[in-house]
Amino acid sequence: MIRRAFSIPLWQRIFVGFGLGILAGLILREQAPAWFGWMGEVYLNLIRMVVVPLVLFTIASSIARLGGETNAARLGVRTIVWFAITSLLAVLVGFAFGHLINPGLGLAELPLGEVRERDIPTPLQVLISVVPANPFAAMAEGRILQVIFFSALIGAALVALGDRAQGVRRLVDEGAALIFRITRWVIQLTPFGVFGLIAGVVGGYGWEALLPLGKFIIAVYAACLFHILIVYSGLLKLHGLKVTSFFRGAFAAQQTAFATSSSLGTLPITLRQTVERLGVPQAYAAFAVPLGANVKMDGCGAIYPAIAAIFIAQYFGIELTLTQYVLIGLTAVLGSLGTAGVPGTSIVMLTLVLSTAGLPLEGIGYIIAIDRVIDMMRTATNVTGQMLVPVLVAREEGVLNRDIYDGRVAWLPGDPDADDPDAVRASGI
């Protein structure tokens, strides 16, 4: 019975957990978090448990493998360029829907929530903070950017040492296979975690908290859906890729991102789906996906600040100038890189955008109460972009496995012989 249940595709099991979570939240209302919140917390702790070792081993292994290829640097540059291009498109979508829906017009005397003051780091501070003074402390405290930096150094050192480090290289590769296997076990619990998280959110929020800012919520959700379904689909079609294949492969990660509201919390399943369902080579995906989870924020860092800036300007009766729009756009595109790894990215990004554009920071207090509700859609957009860019770059470089992408075969990165062409297996795992 249990084996039969787990044979059902993951996205379908997550969908069932999602639906049951909504139902439980609506029935139990404010008691839902107390009844089911623990399930979400246990799941998130399991995910946090595997994130650091997953990043450590997979980044080191991928750098060691990519280091011997002449196109490694080109892959990195193309990845960053596509991060910036898609973020710019996201800002434009945010502007469009902000003015289409006008979420700040017709509102008066909204309740003001408490906003904790955030320190916005300078570019120099961000650069310094990427380098860990103690890599073990960075791993213990979950500072992922520092872990990525340290892992990349290990991978580069393995390339430089060549045959002398064959034993260590094999240890790193086996460590990556080991943590992939553990990750696969944890991912099987995603439907239960999604159920607990969604039940808590639905039960914890009442209509009275959402109605006053309904137009703002609609604007964010509509813009994110447009960006995912129209902009991303257009980019896939321009690259000659089937749109349905991408969304079929990405759906499980999107569902998890929506429930957890955490790009890092979704990282294990994002990486799994990018490799196993979208056909991106593991050596490249293991570098691009963790990097994207830190700096690729189309929802939190582009669409949301653009709409929020328009909302606050409309609420306070401020007419935005062309210069302010340009400043908002540039800050949103570059800000995600500048605030990578900073807790509360969406609030930090919004503070940065409002400060740059000269808009009142107290406006953040009017939308902070519904942040968790819109964070779900923002994070789903972030994660979708974090999978899209590696697919586009792999397609441009001619390394995308079209058989896996189109669903004809599936590949298990946790298998010992995963790099052997004979290890490509029939789909249906």
Side-chain angles (χ1 to χ4, degrees):
M1 180 71 177
I2 295 178
R3 178 173 294 184
R4 185 176 179 182
F6 278 95
S7 67
I8 300 172
L10 180 64
W11 72 268
Q12 294 181 15
R13 284 181 277 139
I14 295 175
F15 190 78
V16 171
F18 198 94
L20 292 176
I22 293 175
L23 185 62
L26 291 174
I27 294 173
L28 295 175
R29 302 295 296 174
E30 64 274 0
Q31 295 190 11
W35 278 57
F36 302 114
W38 65 271
M39 297 176 65
E41 286 300 315
V42 170
Y43 174 72
L44 289 178
N45 284 341
L46 286 169
I47 289 292
R48 294 183 187 112
M49 176 187 73
V50 299
V51 164
V52 169
L54 182 68
V55 171
L56 176 67
F57 284 112
T58 56
I59 290 279
S61 178
S62 69
I63 295 295
R65 295 187 186 195
L66 290 174
E69 301 181 14
T70 57
N71 65 342
R74 191 166 66 246
L75 281 171
V77 171
R78 281 185 182 242
T79 301
I80 298 298
V81 169
W82 272 112
F83 280 174
I85 291 173
T86 49
S87 294
L88 177 59
L89 293 173
V91 172
L92 296 177
V93 169
F95 284 153
F97 277 85
H99 283 293
L100 183 66
I101 297 177
N102 294 316
L105 296 181
L107 298 177
E109 298 183 3
L110 289 174
L112 190 62
E114 182 182 355
V115 182
R116 288 182 299 163
E117 187 175 347
R118 304 271 183 171
D119 291 327
I120 301 177
T122 65
L124 181 59
Q125 288 173 326
V126 172
L127 183 62
I128 293 173
S129 68
V130 169
V131 182
N134 184 337
F136 298 102
M139 286 185 271
E141 296 169 11
R143 297 188 218 135
I144 300 300
L145 268 185
Q146 294 186 356
V147 176
I148 290 176
F149 181 85
F150 182 64
S151 304
L153 283 182
I154 293 176
L158 291 175
V159 174
L161 289 172
D163 292 339
R164 292 172 57 192
Q166 280 300 320
V168 178
R169 181 178 293 205
R170 182 175 178 182
L171 177 64
V172 170
D173 289 342
E174 290 179 348
L178 176 67
I179 197 63
F180 259 122
R181 183 59 64 187
I182 295 173
T183 299
R184 290 175 62 81
W185 291 340
V186 172
I187 286 172
Q188 298 307 312
L189 300 175
T190 300
F192 302 100
V194 166
F195 169 79
L197 291 166
I198 291 298
V201 172
V202 173
Y205 277 88
W207 288 109
E208 62 278 0
L210 304 179
L211 286 178
L213 292 168
K215 287 175 66 178
F216 181 74
I217 296 172
I218 291 172
V220 173
Y221 270 68
C224 287
L225 287 172
F226 181 89
H227 192 61
I228 291 172
L229 298 176
I230 304 301
V231 176
Y232 287 165
S233 296
L235 292 174
L236 288 167
K237 287 184 177 181
L238 286 175
H239 285 75
L241 297 172
K242 289 174 62 177
V243 173
T244 53
S245 295
F246 174 80
F247 286 109
R248 183 176 59 242
F251 193 49
Q254 291 173 317
Q255 290 172 304
T256 307
F258 190 86
T260 62
S261 296
S262 171
S263 292
L264 288 177
T266 312
L267 176 58
I269 194 169
T270 305
L271 182 56
R272 172 191 186 263
Q273 297 298 102
T274 303
V275 174
E276 294 186 22
R277 297 304 189 202
L278 298 178
V280 178
Q282 182 180 335
Y284 167 55
F287 161 76
V289 174
L291 180 64
N294 281 272
V295 304
K296 176 62 178 160
M297 305 286 176
D298 283 359
C300 291
I303 292 174
Y304 173 66
I307 294 177
I310 291 174
F311 167 83
I312 291 170
Q314 290 176 342
Y315 184 76
F316 286 99
I318 300 171
E319 191 73 31
L320 290 174
T321 66
L322 178 61
T323 301
Q324 286 175 307
Y325 281 113
V326 172
L327 288 174
I328 292 169
L330 287 175
T331 306
V333 171
L334 301 176
S336 293
L337 296 174
T339 59
V342 179
T345 301
S346 60
I347 300 300
V348 172
M349 278 297 305
L350 183 53
T351 303
L352 185 61
V353 167
L354 295 180
S355 300
T356 304
L359 295 172
L361 293 179
E362 57 266 31
I364 299 174
Y366 295 112
I367 55 179
I368 195 71
I370 56 159
D371 191 68
R372 180 66 171 85
V373 174
I374 41 183
D375 198 23
M376 299 163 76
M377 192 66 224
R378 292 187 316 223
T379 307
T381 307
N382 294 344
V383 167
T384 307
Q386 292 157 17
M387 290 184 284
L388 175 85
V389 169
V391 168
L392 299 183
V393 173
R395 169 64 172 160
E396 291 175 348
E397 292 292 322
V399 295
L400 184 70
N401 189 317
R402 294 296 297 274
D403 286 334
I404 295 177
Y405 181 86
D406 290 327
R408 290 188 289 272
V409 296
W411 181 55
L412 298 182
D415 288 347
D417 55 348
D419 287 327
D420 185 347
D422 293 334
V424 175
R425 303 159 54 144
S427 60
I429 57 172

